[in-house]
Amino acid sequence: MTMTPEQSAWFAQTFDRLAGNVGQAVLGKPTTVRLVLTCMLAEGHVLLEDAPGTGKTMLARAIAASVQGSHSRIQFTPDLLPSDVTGVTIYDQKTGAFDFHPGPVFASIVLADEINRASPKTQSSLLEVMEEGQVTVDGVPHTAGRPFMVIATQNPIEQAGTYRLPEAQLDRFLMKTSLGYPDRAAAVEILAGSAQKDRSAALAPIVTTQAVAEMADLAATVHVDPAVLDYVAGLAEATRSVPEVRLGVSIRGALAMTRCIKVWAASQGRNYVVPDDVKQLALPVWSHRIVLDPEAEFTGTTTEGVLARVLADVPAPQERQTV
């Protein structure tokens, strides 16, 4: 069943209210806010590559507050253990049974701060819950619930003492984007409200977590024309044939794009996808999935340039009317 025009109008209105509410705490970054909300409703995870002090924690708290969800923050360090993330089973002498004590990963919005500072073993503790929405401890699965989103961060400048995320783990993130520094007007507004340390604390919830799950299910019914699917497949295939690229967009990456463009179209009030949706999301959804040849990277080739070239070379299908 395809989303109706009435449902798409409601979806877009609710999405705008969510974005506006989060925007009261994260000033001057409407595009990034909409991207992260799109990621949440596509039931994926986002990687923020940003310098310290740009509002990443504020963003996670604001989203959690807007959907009446819980929020947790995990500071990744070299001595962090997998059990510090997922939780641990402890024997209770009074009851004679083992009790599971859930870790901070059991929250609606989980901020994995500086994820590349933890060891690969600890990084990999997130793989199961990011992919399947559950954690298995001592053979017993524990569900994370819905909505569930990991917002992971890494510092693009300081690399000393860090462990680079492997391509297989990068591919688990639905999007990669950044907040960046606010413009002058937003910076002045932030400074004017400096007495309020946490802007997200004053936010009123817009929807419930149950409503977010329903929105995610509804977005999955957005119509995608076979021509648009062929366009996505053609773009993904083209990234693999670029001479400067060692590893192009995988099938998982193409599936990620399909999930994202459905939510993006619904957020615009449409119950169908157009080729421009793919073009607008190509960079955040695919940039981290492309691995460049080291020599090409040394000569100045970038993933942004590769995607721009591919988008220019692969013809987009003609737009069709509403479903």
Side-chain angles (χ1 to χ4, degrees):
M1 184 180 71
T2 304
M3 178 189 286
T4 65
E6 293 76 16
Q7 289 174 323
S8 59
W10 171 83
F11 189 103
Q13 182 183 21
T14 307
F15 190 97
D16 288 343
R17 290 174 59 208
L18 278 170
N21 202 52
V22 175
Q24 294 180 44
V26 184
L27 302 178
K29 297 297 175 182
T31 302
T32 304
V33 168
R34 295 184 74 88
L35 283 174
V36 176
L37 288 175
T38 297
C39 195
M40 178 182 69
L41 293 172
E43 299 192 293
H45 313 282
V46 63
L47 177 64
L48 296 179
E49 193 169 75
D50 255 320
T54 52
K56 300 180 289 291
T57 304
M58 186 73 71
L59 174 64
R61 287 178 178 168
I63 293 176
S66 298
V67 300
Q68 282 189 336
S70 54
H71 162 265
S72 68
R73 180 178 181 272
I74 309 171
Q75 183 65 52
F76 278 70
T77 56
D79 60 346
L80 192 73
L81 300 175
S83 58
D84 295 331
V85 177
T86 59
V88 65
T89 302
I90 298 176
Y91 180 74
D92 189 336
Q93 292 184 339
K94 292 182 179 179
T95 62
F98 287 93
D99 291 333
F100 176 65
H101 292 245
V105 78
F106 288 91
S108 303
I109 309 296
V110 178
L111 179 66
D113 210 5
E114 295 189 287
I115 187 173
N116 56 336
R117 291 204 173 277
S119 67
K121 184 177 182 179
T122 302
Q123 290 178 14
S124 65
S125 66
L126 284 172
L127 288 179
E128 181 189 9
V129 70
M130 288 174 64
E131 189 72 19
E132 302 175 21
Q134 68 174 27
V135 172
T136 302
V137 178
D138 294 332
V140 180
H142 304 274
T143 305
R146 298 174 70 193
F148 171 71
M149 178 171 66
V150 173
I151 301 178
T153 73
Q154 60 180 10
N155 187 336
I157 304 299
E158 188 180 358
Q159 300 299 323
T162 63
Y163 300 86
R164 185 184 176 198
L165 294 179
E167 281 70 26
Q169 187 160 354
L170 280 173
D171 208 32
R172 294 302 201 284
F173 287 99
L174 199 63
M175 290 186 188
K176 177 186 175 185
T177 185
S178 64
L179 277 168
Y181 294 110
D183 57 27
R184 180 69 66 84
V188 170
E189 189 174 351
I190 292 171
L191 296 175
S194 59
Q196 187 179 8
K197 292 184 178 180
D198 186 2
R199 287 175 174 269
S200 63
L203 295 182
I206 300 298
V207 295
T208 63
T209 52
Q210 177 62 34
V212 172
E214 292 171 359
M215 288 178 72
D217 292 337
L218 188 60
T221 66
V222 170
H223 175 73
V224 186
D225 193 90
V228 176
L229 293 176
D230 184 70
Y231 181 51
V232 172
L235 289 171
E237 191 175 272
T239 63
R240 302 176 210 139
S241 59
V242 175
E244 296 89 348
V245 172
R246 189 174 63 179
L247 187 66
V249 175
S250 65
I251 293 299
R252 183 190 282 126
L255 286 169
M257 175 62 76
T258 306
R259 288 160 56 194
C260 288
I261 56 179
K262 287 184 176 185
V263 178
W264 194 257
S267 72
Q268 310 294 320
R270 286 183 275 106
N271 63 345
Y272 60 96
V273 172
V274 297
D276 277 349
D277 296 330
V278 180
K279 295 177 182 178
Q280 290 174 358
L281 294 181
L283 188 60
V285 177
W286 280 348
S287 64
H288 60 294
R289 304 175 193 272
I290 296 174
V291 179
L292 298 174
D293 183 88
E295 292 185 8
E297 197 170 6
F298 181 75
T299 57
T301 302
T302 62
T303 54
E304 291 83 357
V306 169
L307 285 172
R309 191 193 319 172
V310 167
L311 288 170
D313 291 345
V314 178
Q318 296 295 317
E319 292 188 15
R320 302 190 181 185
Q321 297 300 315
T322 60
V323 178

